[in-house]
Each structure stands twice: as structure tokens, then as C-alpha cells.
């Protein structure tokens, strides 16, 4: 039986569907919810290569007389401007009335910026430059940019959860700097969850993007501005699903624990509900991570490496110690976390939040240093300089305004 509802209790969109196979859900809502006839599909290269998902989707859409008007197989990580412009040109040429993504966060961010570019007739790098936020997060230079009109439906195969937000990050591949695209950008209007589909997602991708969702929760709960009782409750509820679910997935070598995967998916929704109402200010794990991405590090891996270090940095300068302590205690009360700490021979009384997260991420088999992902010392100076332009570095509990502050964090994880 399908569950079909708003993803968030206080907002009518995006909509969420789960409980039935994704081709059935998509074909139903492409017609009933969006009245679309010509769908443009952006599909992950690995999904297209390693499964029959795209064929199943095309067959089911055909039964309701909806055509796949065009398709793009694969996008490079971190959503390159050159590929955005290529796909926008293709969508325009085939007169698609809906964009559908089947894959991870790169495709989702790509679809958001593509729809935005189409609404504003952006065809060049210079056009995109006028639509993104400025280097100090000033509004786009384009006067009154138009709101996207082509709706997006996403079928995520990872847990990074960008599907639930109305902003996107995309990388200018001439400068290798990642830029933020915000209002009037529109995210997907429908997200379809299918744990059977994501059982085929590579473990490292699934778990690292799950850690990205954990990062949303931790930086939301530990923020010093904008938190509410509701955001605190949502962040804790999300962690209570995500952390056990991820550990179960880590030990589920045959991909048979579909309940664990759906638990993780729903946890990522709750994580985004906590941090997307515009009030909570995130921190440096997100801010530095945005600029670490263009160096070839996956979204989820940036959180695995940076989050414990950022927590320790903030604690060192007494920025949010009360909130960190509350979150540390909450995590240690979770039986699966207590078991991880015990199995690793650690004494919980001696651990701070950064230590608890470090133990969890190691249990999940995730990288914990920049060297593990191929980023050497020669990259640190430019990485730190670029990070200062990210709004989440300035809203970190200890605001990062000097390059030396970022370098202090990076030195923990070299």
C-alpha cells in the first residue's frame, strides 16, 4: 500500500511517496499529480549500468501514455555548470514538461539549477553567474530572476537528502569553486522512496551519504541561532532512526534488510525537516565541506571527515558546549551506540561529542582524514580561503572569519 503525504507536516510540498515500487508510484503521480506527458530523465550512470531500473520506468510510463522525451545518463560529481547547460539545452529542445532524477544528490542539485536556468533562459556560464549567490552571499545580480516552472520528481538512491530543500550547490568548472543557488530555486515537488531500489546502492555511498544526514542533525541541534524545541525534537528523532539504521545496513552484507534502509530514508526526511525552515544556522562541517567537494571528495565523505573535528573546535572555544553535551548524552543512551563504544574499548565518561561521532564513523567504515580521500597539505591553503565565502562558515557557533581558523580545523584531519 502506498503512503502518500507531504514530507513535512507544516508545508504542502514536497510530497513523499513510499510503500510501492517506484515505477508504479512515478507513473501514477506524473499523470494524476502533475498532468505531465513528456518526461526528461536524468539517471545515475551506475543505476543505468547495473540495474534494469530505467527500462522498468520507461515500460510503466508507457502504459499510461507518458513518453520519456529525453534522457541523460550520468553527471560528474558536484554538479558542474557545463553539464547543467548541456542538459538544459537538451530539455529545451525536447519540450519536456517534467524532469525526473533517478540517482544521488548531484543529479538532484543539477535538476534544480537546470529548471532555474530554463526559467531564466540561461545558456552560458555568464548567465549562471548572474543567478547564483555572490561571493559574500549577496543576492543574485540578475534583476528579479524568474521562478522555475518545470516540476521535478526525484527517486533518490542515496541519503544526502538534498531533494527536500529549495537550494542547490553547483560548481563552476572553470574556477573550480562551488556556488549556492537559492530562492526562487524550487526543489523536487515529489520524492519517491523505494528501499528495494537503494539496496543496490554501493555500501560506501549509502553509508557516507547517511552520515551527511547525521551531519544535518548534529549541526542543527548544536547551532547557536535559530533552534526551537521543534527543531531539536526533529533532529533527535532523525538521529534515533539514522544511527541504528546505518549500523544495521553496515552489517547487512546481502542487502536484505529493507526495513533498515527505509528507516534511514525516513530519518533523512526528518533531518531535513529540522534544518530547512530557514531559521537554523548550520556550521563549518557543511561550509568547509561545500568547498572540499570540488577537490573530488564525495558529499557524504566530507561530513565523515569534518564533523567530529568541527565539534571539537567549537567545544575548544566554549561556543556550544551545553548543546554538544546534551547530544552526546542522547547518543550514548542509544543501545546500538553504547554497544559500538563498548566494542571499541572506549570509556564513555571520557568521550565528548566529537569522540562519539568519530567512533561511530569508524564503525561504519568511513574515511576519517583528508589523506584517505587524496587531499594533501598543498590543497589546504586554497581550501581554507574558499571556505570563508560560505555562509555556513560564518554562521558556525565560532564564526570563521579568518583563514587560520579554517586551517586549525583542517589540521585535525590531515
Amino acid at each position: 500500500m502506498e503512503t502518500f503525504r507531504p514530507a513535512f507536516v507544516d508545508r504542502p510540498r514536497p510530497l513523499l511517496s513510499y510503500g510501492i515500487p517506484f515505477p508504479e508510484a512515478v507513473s501514477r503521480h506524473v499523470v494524476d499529480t502533475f498532468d505531465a506527458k513528456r518526461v526528461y530523465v536524468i539517471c545515475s550512470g551506475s543505476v543505468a549500468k547495473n540495474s534494469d531500473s530505467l527500462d522498468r520506468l520507461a515500460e510503466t510510463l508507457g502504459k499510461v501514455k507518458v513518453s520519456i522525451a529525453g534522457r541523460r545518463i550520468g553527471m560528474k560529481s558536484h554538479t558542474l555548470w557545463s553539464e547543467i547547460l548541456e542538459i538544459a539545452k537538451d530539455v529545451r529542445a525536447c519540450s519536456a514538461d517534467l524532469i525526473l532524477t533517478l540517482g544521488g544528490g548531484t543529479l538532484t542539485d543539477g535538476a534544480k539549477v537546470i529548471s532555474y536556468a530554463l526559467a531564466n533562459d540561461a545558456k552560458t556560464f555568464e548567465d549562471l553567474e548572474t543567478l547564483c549567490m555572490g561571493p559574500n552571499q549577496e543576492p543574485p545580480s540578475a534583476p528579479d530572476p524568474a521562478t522555475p516552472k518545470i516540476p521535478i520528481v526525484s527517486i533518490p538512491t542515496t541519503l544526502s537528502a538534498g531533494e527536500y530543500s529549495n537550494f542547490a550547490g553547483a560548481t563552476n568548472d572553470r574556477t573550480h569553486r562551488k556556488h549556492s543557488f537559492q530562492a526562487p530555486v524550487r526543489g523536487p515537488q515529489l520524492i519517491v522512496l523505494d528501499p528495494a531500489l537503494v539496496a543496490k546502492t554501493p555500501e560506501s555511498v549509502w553509508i557516507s551519504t547517511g552520515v551527511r544526514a547525521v551531519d544535518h542533525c548534529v549541526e542543527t541541534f548544536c547551532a547557536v541561532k535559530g533552534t526551537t524545541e521543534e527543531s531539536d525534537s526533529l533532529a533527535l528523532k532523525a538521529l534515533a532512526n539514522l544511527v541504528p539504521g546505518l549500523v544495521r545496513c553496515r552489517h547487512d552484507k546481502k542487502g536484505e534488510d529493507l526495513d533498515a534502509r527505509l528507516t534511514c530514508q525516513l530519518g533523512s526526511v526528518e533531518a531535513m525537516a529540522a534544518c530547512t525552515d530557514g531559521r537554523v544556522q548550520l556550521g563549518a562541517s557543511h561550509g568547509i565541506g561545500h568547498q572540499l567537494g570540488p577537490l573530488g571528495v564525495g558529499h557524504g565523505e566530507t561530513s565523515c571527515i569534518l564533523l567530529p573535528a568541527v565539534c571539537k573546535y567549537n567545544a575548544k572555544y566554549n561556543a556550544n558546549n551545553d548543546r554538544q553535551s546534551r547530544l552526546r548524552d542522547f547518543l550514548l543512551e542509544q543501545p546500538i551506540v553504547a554497544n559500538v563504544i563498548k566494542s571499541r574499548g572506549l570509556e564513555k565518561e571520557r568521550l565528548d561529542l566529537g569522540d562519539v561521532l568519530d567512533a561511530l564513523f569508524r564503525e561504519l567504515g568511513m574515511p576519517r582524514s583528508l589523506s584517505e580521500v587524496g587531499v594533501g597539505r598543498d590543497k589546504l591553503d586554497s581550501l581554507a580561503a574558499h571556505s570563508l565565502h560560505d555562509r555556513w562558515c560564518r554562521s558556525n557557533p565560532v564564526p570563521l572569519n579568518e583563514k587560520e581558523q579554517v586551517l586549525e580545523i583542517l589540521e585535525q584531519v590531515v
Side-chain angles (χ1 to χ4, degrees), residues 34-360:
F34 300 103
D35 193 28
K37 298 296 183 185
R38 296 176 60 80
V39 176
Y40 190 96
V41 176
I42 308 173
C43 182
S44 156
S46 60
V47 170
K49 179 180 178 181
N50 300 321
S51 75
D52 63 351
S53 299
L54 197 50
D55 291 337
R56 290 170 57 207
L57 178 64
E59 179 183 359
T60 308
L61 286 173
K63 292 177 181 178
V64 293
K65 296 182 170 51
V66 173
S67 67
I68 293 182
R71 63 181 69 186
R72 170 75 173 226
I73 305 300
M75 291 182 71
K76 293 180 181 176
S77 296
H78 307 296
T79 318
L80 304 182
W81 284 16
S82 57
E83 295 193 322
I84 286 169
L85 294 172
E86 290 171 6
I87 299 171
K89 181 179 179 180
D90 201 16
V91 175
R92 190 182 293 114
C94 67
S95 301
D97 55 7
L98 185 143
I99 298 172
L100 184 143
T101 67
L102 176 56
T106 292
L107 308 188
T108 308
D109 273 4
K112 294 178 196 178
V113 184
I114 289 161
S115 184
Y116 188 38
L118 288 167
N120 290 278
D121 200 30
K123 298 178 181 178
T124 67
F125 273 58
E126 291 72 24
D127 292 338
L128 288 180
E129 189 77 42
T130 71
L131 295 173
C132 67
M133 303 296 286
N136 294 306
Q137 296 305 301
E138 60 266 23
S141 60
D144 299 319
T147 300
K149 296 179 178 62
I150 298 180
I152 302 165
V153 172
S154 284
I155 310 164
T157 57
T158 69
L159 289 166
S160 50
E163 300 82 21
Y164 302 96
S165 73
N166 290 321
F167 57 85
T171 302
N172 182 329
D173 35 337
R174 292 176 181 171
T175 65
H176 306 291
R177 186 175 151 205
K178 200 160 193 175
H179 294 262
S180 176
F181 292 81
Q182 299 182 44
V185 169
R186 293 176 68 191
Q189 299 299 290
L190 170 66
I191 297 97
V192 177
L193 306 180
D194 187 339
L197 170 68
V198 300
K200 300 181 177 67
T201 298
E203 181 185 79
S204 61
V205 175
W206 180 252
I207 291 180
S208 67
T209 56
V211 171
R212 185 66 167 177
V214 169
D215 196 347
H216 296 330
C217 299
V218 172
E219 290 215 314
T220 294
F221 191 89
C222 292
V224 294
K225 293 182 181 178
T227 59
T228 63
E229 289 186 9
E230 182 183 12
S231 69
D232 289 351
S233 176
L234 285 166
L236 296 179
K237 183 180 178 183
L239 286 170
N241 280 328
L242 281 165
V243 172
L246 288 170
V247 174
R248 285 169 58 190
C249 288
R250 169 66 171 163
H251 296 291
D252 175 35
K253 298 305 181 183
K254 295 183 179 180
E256 296 174 344
D257 192 346
L258 299 186
D259 180 68
R261 281 161 174 75
L262 182 59
T263 296
C264 289
Q265 289 180 308
L266 295 176
S268 73
V269 179
E270 291 154 352
M272 290 304 288
C275 70
T276 58
D277 66 359
R279 292 173 293 183
V280 178
Q281 302 293 299
L282 299 179
S285 180
H286 280 76
I288 302 171
H290 288 158
Q291 303 308 322
L292 188 57
L295 298 180
V297 185
H299 284 109
E301 290 177 328
T302 68
S303 293
C304 299
I305 295 165
L306 290 168
L307 182 58
V310 169
C311 289
K312 283 186 167 291
Y313 177 86
N314 289 331
K316 176 181 176 180
Y317 293 100
N318 301 311
N320 57 355
N321 290 27
D322 57 334
R323 286 193 159 268
Q324 287 205 36
S325 294
R326 286 168 58 192
L327 191 54
R328 166 199 174 275
D329 292 345
F330 175 82
L331 288 172
L332 290 173
E333 288 168 2
Q334 308 303 308
I336 206 158
V337 177
N339 288 339
V340 167
I341 298 302
K342 183 177 179 180
S343 70
R344 291 185 164 270
L346 301 173
E347 297 180 32
K348 65 180 183 180
E349 294 78 11
R350 296 176 177 268
L351 305 180
D352 60 19
L353 177 59
D355 297 325
V356 174
L357 293 170
D358 173 72
L360 277 172

